[in-house]
Amino acid sequence: MAKLHLGVLGSGAGSNMQSIVDAIAAGTLDAEIKLVLSDVPDAKILDRGRKHGIPSQHLDCAPWKTKLEGPAEDRCIELLKGAGVDTVVLAGFMRIVKAGLLAAFPMRVLNIHPALLPAFPGVHSWTQALDYGCKVAGVTVHFVDAGTDSGPIIVQKAVPVLENDTPETLHARIQVQEHIAFPEALNVIARGNYKIDGRKVRIF
Ligand code: GAR
């Protein structure tokens, strides 16, 4: 059992980061968020971080629009290492992370994805599930590897797709489960009671 020193990367509202903050405050997750970084200067996740007294800053990722690479990646690693981060959490970070970050934190980068992977990687996954006619949708927390939304799965949770669902109502139902799944996955990492065996995360 080792306390996690988390670095959170996000682009949006930060409700997943909030679920981690709440789990720490409730004493159900042995972790501390050391730093919040966002590629979006006015993202709500930065306000949330500051409200909780967590160092929170914008990370300029230009000129790239969809990935974290080059000098921005170097700066990101420098900031995370400088803050004493040992585990990186992608909490709604809408960029592809590349080999540099993954090498700096080997098998210590976690992502939350709003679908039951390997179905519907990429963006607006809940809309993809709805359009496909799925009867269930859900959320996956996984280790990040070199692919897109393809790393070993730590936790998954399913939700029903209802007849009258809109993208918004389905996403809201998925988000309720996200806020349970992320602290649960981080607890596995904190307890250290797992082994990565190829694609499989064996939890014991
Ligand atoms: C969440 O639904 C998360 O699963 C999704 O972005 C949202 C962020 O919400 N992530 C992705 O789509 C990553 N491909 P939040 O900012 O309120 O945590």
Side-chain angles (χ1 to χ4, degrees), residues 12-17 91-94 111-114 122 149 171 175 178:
S15 69
N16 277 288
M17 184 195 68
F93 189 59
M94 302 310 283
N111 181 47
I112 187 151
H113 184 74
D149 300 324
H171 187 211
Q175 283 223 287
E178 291 187 2

Side-chain angles (χ1 to χ4, degrees), residues 86-134:
D86 55 44
T87 306
V88 180
V89 169
L90 307 183
F93 189 59
M94 302 310 283
R95 287 175 181 268
I96 308 284
V97 300
K98 308 296 272 191
L101 183 76
L102 300 180
F105 297 92
M107 294 319 267
R108 295 295 277 202
V109 182
L110 275 65
N111 181 47
I112 187 151
H113 184 74
L116 294 173
L117 291 170
F120 311 125
V123 294
H124 300 303
S125 308
W126 56 90
T127 307
Q128 293 186 57
L130 203 54
D131 291 349
Y132 198 86
C134 292

Side-chain angles (χ1 to χ4, degrees), residues 38-173:
S38 179
D39 56 329
V40 179
D42 58 354
K44 202 170 154 205
I45 193 169
L46 292 175
D47 296 334
R48 280 194 206 251
R50 290 181 191 121
K51 194 178 123 215
H52 291 287
I54 304 164
S56 303
Q57 68 180 81
H58 172 230
L59 178 73
D60 186 359
C61 295
W64 292 280
K65 293 204 184 322
T66 58
K67 56 188 178 180
L68 176 66
E69 207 169 20
E73 183 190 57
D74 295 343
R75 178 89 181 116
C76 181
I77 295 166
E78 183 186 311
L79 288 168
L80 293 168
K81 292 282 182 189
V85 166
D86 55 44
T87 306
V88 180
V89 169
L90 307 183
F93 189 59
M94 302 310 283
R95 287 175 181 268
I96 308 284
V97 300
K98 308 296 272 191
L101 183 76
L102 300 180
F105 297 92
M107 294 319 267
R108 295 295 277 202
V109 182
L110 275 65
N111 181 47
I112 187 151
H113 184 74
L116 294 173
L117 291 170
F120 311 125
V123 294
H124 300 303
S125 308
W126 56 90
T127 307
Q128 293 186 57
L130 203 54
D131 291 349
Y132 198 86
C134 292
K135 302 296 187 195
V136 289
V139 55
T140 304
V141 182
H142 63 96
F143 288 107
V144 178
D145 67 5
T148 302
D149 300 324
S150 60
I153 292 168
I154 307 166
V155 169
Q156 284 188 309
K157 301 219 176 271
V159 301
V161 179
L162 304 181
E163 200 56 45
N164 299 327
D165 264 334
T166 62
E168 292 72 28
T169 59
L170 180 55
H171 187 211
R173 193 174 308 116

